[in-house]
Amino acid sequence: MSAIRLLVLGAVRQHGRAHGYQVRNDLEFWGAHEWSSAKPGSIYHALKQMAKQGLLVAHEVAPSAVGGPPRVEYEITDQGTAEYFDLLREALTSYDQKMDMLSAGIGFIVDLPRDEAVALLKERIAGLERWRAEVTEYYMPEKGPEQLGHIGEIMNMWVHSADSQAEWTHSLIGRIEGGAYTFAGEGEPFVGVLAEGEPNPFATGPHPEDLR
């Protein structure tokens, strides 16, 4: 599963309609170009591909500022919204995805009802516990990694990873259950995007598709 699809669908959905540069600007403001494959070329490619797949609809709205093809704004479709929520739920429950998927899921977690977000994170913890149990069928952490030679360091890393991820997820659940953040249906959501025309301190520089 690719984080870029979740990131792009979520960014378009936040705006209602957005051109490619707005999507790119939002994701760079989040630092997504550092922790995922959300580089400019990937973002523009994803927008075009998902428009072909019916997840987005492309609106030609104005001539390009540089005299090229009309500028395009994208809007998420019902199919795209369903895909977005499927990806979001999978990102929050899957314990064996790359960190970019979990990061993207956390970035959009408030689009879900609070109770559902907690339930999905608890499902993630259950998956981590199952994974840890499978590892410790063959590796006993209390005996240390040396019991299996240097290969034991691999299983030691897995166990520590499962433990630290479960600890972090428990702490997030505690904050959410304690009333942190504004979730779907609770009022005005936090807007984690730049205002139109506001400079982005994390922007990576111009790209040929920016003005299209």
Side-chain angles (χ1 to χ4, degrees):
M1 182 170 59
S2 169
I4 190 72
R5 291 173 71 85
L6 174 56
L7 287 166
V8 169
L9 287 171
V12 172
R13 185 176 177 273
Q14 282 188 139
H15 284 280
R17 277 173 64 153
H19 55 75
Y21 180 71
Q22 286 176 304
V23 172
R24 175 194 164 191
N25 203 43
D26 286 356
L27 297 182
E28 289 187 351
F29 182 60
W30 285 20
H33 56 298
E34 300 287 354
W35 47 260
S36 77
S37 61
K39 306 296 189 288
S42 299
I43 292 168
Y44 290 119
H45 176 74
L47 286 164
K48 292 173 183 176
Q49 284 298 110
M50 288 193 286
K52 290 178 182 177
Q53 294 164 358
L55 305 179
L56 300 172
V57 60
H59 302 276
E60 293 186 352
V61 294
S64 165
V66 293
R71 191 163 211 177
V72 176
E73 286 186 348
Y74 294 90
E75 183 177 10
I76 196 166
T77 64
D78 289 345
Q79 181 185 346
T81 299
E83 173 88 356
Y84 166 70
F85 280 105
D86 284 347
L87 291 171
L88 176 55
R89 292 180 176 108
E90 187 172 351
L92 293 172
T93 55
S94 297
Y95 61 89
D96 54 354
Q97 294 286 354
K98 293 181 180 179
M99 287 302 292
D100 60 349
M101 278 305 306
L102 178 59
S103 299
I106 295 301
F108 294 115
I109 192 171
V110 295
D111 286 348
L112 297 168
R114 185 179 297 270
D115 289 348
E116 183 179 5
V118 168
L120 292 170
L121 291 170
K122 287 182 176 179
E123 187 177 334
R124 180 173 190 270
I125 289 173
L128 286 165
E129 290 172 346
R130 288 193 300 270
W131 180 47
R132 190 188 194 281
E134 290 173 5
V135 173
T136 54
E137 284 183 14
Y138 310 98
Y139 171 73
M140 302 173 72
E142 62 273 14
K143 291 187 176 180
E146 296 89 345
Q147 64 190 287
L148 299 176
H150 74 280
I151 301 302
E153 294 292 353
I154 298 173
M155 293 189 177
N156 195 44
M157 177 183 66
W158 290 343
V159 169
H160 278 274
S161 175
D163 289 345
S164 63
Q165 289 189 56
E167 180 183 3
W168 173 83
T169 307
H170 275 298
S171 69
L172 174 57
I173 288 171
R175 290 189 291 278
I176 293 172
E177 289 183 327
Y181 317 121
T182 303
F183 284 79
E186 296 181 349
E188 282 297 313
F190 172 77
V191 179
V193 299
L194 293 165
E196 186 71 28
E198 185 178 354
N200 184 350
F202 308 109
T204 59
H207 185 275
E209 298 263 7
D210 286 346
L211 298 178
R212 295 181 58 180

